[in-house]
Amino acid sequence: MKDIKNIEIVVNGKNHTLPIIEGEMLSDLLRERLHLTGTKIGCDEAECGSCTVVIDGEPILSCSYPAMKAHNKKITTIEGLAKVVGNNGKTYTVLHPLQEAFIDYGAVQCGFCIPGQIMTSYALLEENPTPSVGEIKYALKDTLCRCAGYPSIIGAIQAASESITSGATIEPPVVQISKFAKRMVGQTNKRPDAISKVTGSAIYSDDIHFEGMLHARVKRAMVPAGVLKSIDISDAVAMSGVEAVLTAKDIPNAKNHGLFIKDWPVLIDIGEEIRYVGDALAIVAAQTREIASEAIDLIKFEFEPLPVVSSALAAHKPETRKIHEKGNLLKHIKVRKGEITRGFDKADVIISHTYFTNPNDHAFIEPECSIARVLEDGKVEIYVGSQIPYSDREQVSEVL
C-alpha cells in the first residue's frame, strides 16, 4: 500500500484514479474531489452516521475511513441508488424502493441524516431482504436522526423490504384523513424537497463551493472565564497560505451582537471578559481549510483567570460575581395556567417542591456553516442554514 501513488476506486459504477493525499478521509475525497456532497459530515468523529456509504456491500462511516484504504474497492453513495433510464435524450430517474418509501412515509424531515439512514438501510436489505423490526433498529443504532423520525424510518424500510421481495409497488402508509381536511392540512402530503433529499442532491451550507473561495476558522478562548490580557497573531499571519487574521480591532462598527440583547462580543478585545469557552478571539482566512486549522493553533494569547460561574443557581446568589454589567438574570418568566387558588382549594393533596431538570441541547447534526461573498454591486451575499435570516442580516450589517 505504501508504494501506491494513486487511488483507484469505483464510485457509483464509475472508475476514478486519484492522487493520494496524506491523511485524507474517504468523506473528504467524495465531497471535495468528486463533488458528491450527498455524503454528509456531521460529527466528523464516526458517531452520528450521516457520512455512511457502502463499500463492497458493507456500511462504512466514511469520515473515519482513510481514503487510501478504499483502493480497488467499489463504493456506493446516496447519489448512486436512483437509476437514470431511457435513451435518445429522453431520460428519467427511477428511485430505489428505499428512496420512494422514505418519501411516502414522511421519513424525510430536515434531511441531513437521510443519506446515512438510506445507505445503512440499503446495506441491511442487500444482506437481509426481510429484516425484523429488531434487526432494523440494530442496524440503525449508530445512525442518528435529530428530528426523531425513527418510527417513519422503520416503516419506510419495512415497506421497501416488502416491495423488493414481492416486486410490488410501495404500499403507502395508512393515515386517517381528517373529516375537516383542507387542500394541505389534515391529510398526508409529500414534501416538495423530498426527492432532492433522498437522492443526495439537496444542498446545505457546507455543500456550497465557489471557485477561489477562502476558508475561515475561529480561534476560541477554550477557557470559561477570564480577562484577555494579550494576543499574538504574528506566527499565523506569517504562515504560507494565510490571507488574513482578524481580531477585535479590525471590526469596523458594532462590537457586540445578539438576538435579543446585544451583549455578546463578536471578537473579544484585550481587556475584555471571556465569558465562556466558545468566545471568539480571532478569525483566520486561508486558502484551504487545513491551512486555516493549522494557523489558529499558532495564535497565542494570555488571560487573567476569573472565578467560574458554573450553574444557574450559583449565578443567582448575591455574592456571585456579575458576568454581565446588569447582572446574571436575563429574564424571569412566570408561567401560570388556570385559576391556581381555586384549584388548590379543591385539591385532595397539595405537593409543594422545587424541581430541577437537566439542560438539553438540540443536538442538531448539520454543522454550523455560513458562506459569504461580495457581489459586483458591493453587497454581501450570505448562505447559511438558519431559522432567523432577517435577524442574521441585521446583526451582520450592524457589525460591517
Side-chain angles (χ1 to χ4, degrees), residues 99-220:
Q99 295 170 314
E100 188 178 344
F102 266 63
I103 294 173
D104 289 349
Y105 278 71
V108 181
Q109 295 187 52
C110 86
F112 195 83
C113 77
I114 293 303
Q117 301 284 353
I118 290 179
M119 295 313 299
T120 304
S121 305
Y122 171 75
L124 170 65
L125 295 185
E126 286 289 290
E127 180 182 356
N128 178 8
T130 56
S132 65
V133 171
E135 289 169 328
I136 293 173
K137 289 181 177 179
Y138 184 81
L140 295 177
K141 64 182 176 60
D142 297 321
T143 309
L144 307 181
C145 173
R146 184 262 186 180
C147 302
Y150 297 112
S152 298
I153 289 172
I154 292 171
I157 296 170
Q158 291 177 305
S161 168
E162 177 64 27
S163 174
I164 291 171
T165 55
S166 68
T169 58
I170 296 293
E171 187 69 28
V174 178
V175 179
Q176 183 176 353
I177 298 176
S178 170
K179 63 180 180 180
F180 303 109
K182 304 298 182 183
R183 185 173 63 90
M184 298 297 291
V185 178
Q187 59 181 311
T188 58
N189 291 281
K190 297 179 182 179
R191 292 182 66 102
D193 58 359
I195 291 179
S196 64
K197 289 178 175 178
V198 301
T199 57
S201 61
I203 299 299
Y204 297 78
S205 297
D206 198 36
D207 301 332
I208 298 171
H209 177 82
F210 292 107
E211 193 64 33
M213 76 178 189
L214 299 179
H215 297 260
R217 291 296 307 275
V218 178
K219 179 69 174 181
R220 305 285 179 181

Side-chain angles (χ1 to χ4, degrees), residues 223-285:
V223 294
V227 176
L228 183 65
K229 307 301 290 184
S230 67
I231 185 167
D232 182 1
I233 63 173
S234 57
D235 289 344
V237 171
M239 184 176 178
S240 177
V242 171
E243 297 294 330
V245 181
L246 306 178
T247 65
K249 291 180 171 51
D250 296 302
I251 298 175
N253 288 298
K255 306 298 183 183
N256 291 348
H257 71 298
L259 186 57
F260 299 110
I261 300 175
K262 293 178 170 49
D263 59 359
W264 187 3
V266 177
L267 293 169
I268 304 296
D269 203 352
I270 293 173
E272 291 184 342
E273 276 194 38
I274 296 168
R275 293 181 173 87
Y276 89 115
V277 294
D279 268 338
L281 307 183
I283 301 173
V284 172

Side-chain angles (χ1 to χ4, degrees), residues 1 4 27 33 51 62 68 87 129 151 153 169 181 194 201 216 220-221 238-239 275 285 294 297 322 346-347 364 377:
M1 187 70 76
I4 297 174
S27 58
R33 294 212 266 171
C51 67
S62 62
M68 187 186 302
N87 51 40
I153 289 172
T169 58
S201 61
R220 305 285 179 181
M239 184 176 178
R275 293 181 173 87
E294 291 181 30
D297 291 335
K322 291 183 178 180
K346 291 187 174 183
F364 46 82
D377 59 4

